[in-house]
Amino acid sequence: MKSVIFERSGNMETLKAIVNLKTLYDNLQIIKSRTKAMIYAVVKANAYGHGMCVATFLQPYVDGFCVATFGEAEMLVGYAVYKPIIVLSEVSDGCQILPHENVVYSVGSESSAAIIRQVNPKAAFYIKVN
């Protein structure tokens, strides 16, 4: 695989992040060979400036993804991400419950779980504890 270069121009300088996809793949394989832990790629904040479409490249090598918002989860679904997508923001009144089966919600209270269950009784969630 070739390296991918992402550039962003700032006021004073050009910042550059070089992602070597071969090294990333090799590192993921090493981690998987040494542990049974699941690997979730955190792609919140537009994959830290690399673009949410990076998830499509990572999908074969990770167990799922983490995003900050419901909008980011919906974006990943739009990119045909089929692995679990954990939304790190807690569910609250008025938030959007997505109908997609692979979206996993954060709940910190029984009322948050009830909000999810009203809209999507089959939705998965995890309990967020501070």
Side-chain angles (χ1 to χ4, degrees), residues 55-130:
T56 59
F57 297 110
L58 295 174
Q59 190 161 227
Y61 312 110
V62 299
D63 297 298
F65 298 92
C66 296
V67 296
T69 66
F70 298 97
E72 290 174 339
E74 196 157 44
M75 193 177 297
L76 286 185
V77 170
Y79 282 121
V81 168
Y82 57 87
K83 300 260 178 117
I85 302 166
I86 295 176
V87 180
L88 300 172
S89 300
E90 187 175 341
V91 171
S92 60
D93 285 326
C95 74
Q96 181 183 12
I97 305 299
L98 303 172
H100 312 293
E101 292 178 8
N102 59 328
V103 176
V104 181
Y105 298 92
S106 301
V107 297
S109 67
E110 199 172 321
S111 62
S112 294
I115 292 168
I116 295 170
R117 293 289 184 222
Q118 285 176 351
V119 177
N120 186 351
K122 295 182 179 182
F125 59 89
Y126 74 95
I127 299 171
K128 185 176 183 177
V129 179
N130 281 337

